[in-house]
Amino acid sequence: MLALFNIANSITQEVKRMITIREYFKAKTLEEAYGQLICNRKNTVFGGGAFIRMGSKNIPLAIDLSEAGLAYIEEDEHEIKIGAMTTFGDIEHSQLLSKYFDNMLAKSVREIVGIQLRNIVTVGGTVYSRYGFSDFLTGLLALDTYVNLYKGGTIPLERFLKEGPKEEDILENLSIKKDNRKATFLSMRNCKGDYAILNVALSNLDGKFRIAVGARPNRATLAYEAMKYLDRLNNQITKEDIHKAAKIASEELVFGTNTRGSSFYRKQICYVLIKQGLMEVLGYED
Amino acid sequence: MKIEMKVNGQNKQFDISPDEYLVDTLRNNGYTSVKKGCDTGVCGCCTVHMDGKAILSCVILSAKAAGHEITTIEGVKEEAKKVGEYLVEEGVEQCGYCSTGLIMNILYMEKHIKEPSDEEILHYLSGNLCRCTGYTGQLRAIKKYLEARKNENSK
């Protein structure tokens, strides 16, 4: 009986985990893509398609942006621009990004499953979807990052994560201000390649801190009270201050419980990771 | 819908449905070295190269792969055989199901890192799961293979 139940259950799971696509369209420009997107509210823009793969959806039209010229990592005097179709593999191995922020963005993606998946997952797919489990979003939030939407224009990532897009839109690229901040990324996972139980990213720019915490399991957010506490210290920060800031952050943030961990556990881990991260960006030894 | 792509250097045309994944298109057209494991982009059994990059064919839609160059293990037989010999020697070949995906990823890693450390090898191959072994045999095999290749290239 149990064997039959297990078989039926696995078949049901298989049926549940299916997407159907009626038509497929490779857009050459964002304008083309947007024109198709707004024809039907179920039409879907595909980044890498990795997370969609695991769901169950009926899609009248899949819109592929891989030929729309959106895979790039560039810089000018003031900022770095990352195109929406840039993959996590590109982020991980980017010579340009390795020169900035202590290569924190590469660290934020390198534990995601395996290199094969990182060669598929895109910046646009992750950022626009505002996934709670995302390591990359947490890393970006610790930097001065903006999302550039086709219709919605330029919005700080912080606001985009809270509010989402105002209407159906397409993410064109991200821009990150080049400001020489020191940064780090840490996470707690059950094993290599698994989703994080919790992730944190921190940065310090001349005594102004950004502390981002994600996979709470909710999406990344900033620990504002902890940041305010540290900013008031004018970069004269002792180890005792670090302990206090980490405690403030772990108490101000909201954590939830899922199969990977309890809210109580996440709170404890938050304190530890933030303490460790602050030691790193301040250059203190443990 | 009809799509075209290059598979192992040959131009191919396939008739697919828009929601068909590359692993199914390849397997349905004779490239059965490409294995279906988890079918959700985690185990690495379905690893192939697309334009020289290791990707998971169970996650890439065939329509997305249209116009690109796909390499399966059938297309790199000689190189794969060399890697395979070291895997066999170190007792890594048990059921064999993970092997093609693993070998494709090893060949990809070889092109991208010169003289990887143990940690770099394990990091690169964390996307290839094996239920039979404990991965130590794979690490030994890969190190011996890379050492042998280094000696070959220096001659």
Side-chain angles (χ1 to χ4, degrees):
Chain A
M1 189 67 159
L2 183 61
L4 281 175
F5 172 79
N6 285 338
I7 290 166
N9 198 34
S10 64
I11 291 169
T12 309
Q13 293 297 328
E14 184 60 38
V15 167
K16 274 188 199 164
R17 202 184 56 228
M18 265 184 67
I19 67 163
T20 60
I21 299 171
R22 219 179 315 128
E23 281 181 77
Y24 197 89
F25 175 71
K26 273 191 177 176
K28 295 277 187 274
T29 63
L30 276 175
E31 192 182 357
E32 265 186 11
Y34 187 76
Q36 294 294 334
L37 179 64
I38 56 173
C39 288
N40 183 324
R41 67 179 183 83
K42 286 190 175 182
N43 289 353
T44 302
V45 173
F46 271 58
F51 197 70
I52 292 177
R53 173 75 175 100
M54 292 202 278
S56 181
K57 238 179 156 183
N58 294 324
I59 298 170
L61 179 73
I63 302 162
D64 183 347
L65 291 177
S66 53
E67 291 181 5
L70 295 175
Y72 53 81
I73 304 174
E74 306 170 335
E75 64 176 327
D76 63 24
E77 198 184 330
H78 303 290
E79 62 186 17
I80 297 164
K81 270 204 161 63
I82 304 177
M85 290 302 283
T86 305
T87 67
F88 281 8
D90 298 331
I91 298 284
E92 187 178 358
H93 298 117
S94 165
Q95 297 285 340
L96 193 162
L97 288 176
S98 70
K99 296 187 293 186
Y100 297 99
F101 319 121
D102 303 297
N103 206 16
M104 183 268 281
L105 288 179
K107 289 177 197 162
S108 76
V109 300
R110 74 187 309 265
E111 296 301 329
I112 296 168
V113 188
I115 185 64
Q116 305 98 307
L117 190 77
R118 298 197 290 277
N119 283 340
I120 294 170
V121 172
T122 61
V123 161
T126 292
V127 174
Y128 192 83
S129 305
R130 304 183 297 148
Y131 294 129
F133 56 75
S134 171
D135 294 329
F136 187 56
L137 274 175
T138 306
L140 288 173
L141 192 57
L143 306 177
D144 193 3
T145 306
Y146 298 79
V147 301
N148 300 306
L149 300 171
Y150 176 67
K151 292 301 278 185
T154 300
I155 307 174
L157 176 67
E158 191 179 331
R159 182 148 53 97
F160 182 74
L161 287 181
K162 283 182 193 157
E163 299 170 7
K166 289 198 180 351
E167 55 184 329
E168 280 292 344
D169 211 330
I170 302 176
L171 191 142
E172 181 173 354
N173 57 43
L174 305 174
S175 34
I176 306 171
K177 299 290 177 218
K178 283 161 58 170
D179 53 20
N180 296 320
R181 60 182 68 221
K182 281 199 70 59
T184 191
F185 175 87
L186 301 105
S187 65
M188 182 71 178
R189 332 173 95 80
N190 279 324
C191 67
K192 231 174 163 38
D194 199 1
Y195 290 105
I197 300 168
L198 196 81
N199 55 44
V200 310
L202 299 95
S203 70
N204 174 19
L205 178 65
D206 303 324
K208 295 290 173 206
F209 289 81
R210 286 178 77 89
I211 302 175
V213 181
R216 299 176 290 125
N218 286 351
R219 68 176 68 96
T221 188
L222 292 169
Y224 292 101
E225 296 305 317
M227 285 158 52
K228 272 188 220 161
Y229 173 79
L230 289 167
D231 288 353
R232 281 198 294 267
L233 298 173
N234 290 324
N235 229 4
Q236 306 293 316
I237 295 167
T238 64
K239 287 187 181 177
E240 183 57 29
D241 295 322
I242 288 174
H243 153 74
K244 278 187 188 157
K247 194 159 183 295
I248 292 169
S250 69
E251 284 170 358
E252 75 174 281
L253 295 171
V254 175
F255 303 100
T257 295
N258 64 4
T259 50
R260 277 186 289 285
S262 66
S263 61
F264 176 77
Y265 183 59
R266 285 188 159 99
K267 189 176 162 126
Q268 313 309 308
I269 293 295
C270 179
Y271 166 78
V272 172
L273 293 182
I274 289 179
K275 198 170 109 169
Q276 199 179 324
L278 285 171
M279 299 281 278
E280 281 185 35
V281 297
L282 287 163
Y284 293 175
E285 288 194 11
D286 209 345
Chain B
M1 61 187 284
K2 289 199 186 333
I3 59 165
E4 289 179 359
M5 63 178 76
K6 228 177 203 175
V7 183
N8 298 331
Q10 292 187 329
N11 293 324
K12 294 283 181 183
Q13 195 180 78
F14 301 120
D15 198 353
I16 61 159
S17 66
D19 45 29
E20 188 169 318
Y21 282 89
L22 184 60
V23 63
D24 294 310
T25 302
L26 290 172
R27 288 182 60 80
N28 292 341
N29 287 278
Y31 301 97
T32 51
S33 70
V34 186
K35 303 300 181 204
K36 233 176 172 177
C38 67
D39 215 16
T40 49
V42 178
C43 73
C45 286
C46 66
T47 302
V48 298
H49 295 174
M50 187 161 90
D51 300 332
K53 286 189 178 172
I55 55 111
L56 301 166
S57 57
C58 72
V59 169
I60 290 276
L61 287 161
S62 300
K64 189 177 176 65
H68 293 270
E69 187 152 354
I70 306 298
T71 309
T72 70
I73 210 165
E74 286 94 341
V76 287
K77 276 188 187 152
E78 290 308 313
E79 297 94 320
K81 188 168 174 257
K82 282 184 191 160
V83 179
E85 282 166 359
Y86 286 90
L87 295 177
V88 168
E89 189 62 33
E90 296 303 321
V92 170
E93 277 294 312
Q94 294 191 34
C95 80
Y97 204 76
C98 71
S99 297
T100 52
L102 176 67
I103 292 171
M104 291 305 287
N105 209 12
I106 292 168
L107 293 174
Y108 174 66
M109 181 188 69
E110 192 187 353
K111 288 191 171 70
H112 286 83
I113 319 183
K114 301 296 167 208
E115 301 189 35
S117 62
D118 286 10
E119 201 203 328
E120 281 173 316
I121 293 172
L122 290 171
H123 173 69
Y124 239 83
L125 298 174
S126 60
N128 289 91
L129 303 183
C130 173
R131 288 294 279 129
C132 296
T133 74
Y135 302 103
T136 49
Q138 275 103 340
L139 183 60
R140 283 196 311 268
I142 291 162
K143 284 168 70 171
K144 286 184 179 175
Y145 165 74
L146 291 174
E147 187 63 32
R149 291 282 285 160
K150 185 177 149 197
N151 293 337
E152 265 175 44
N153 293 336
S154 61
K155 282 182 188 161

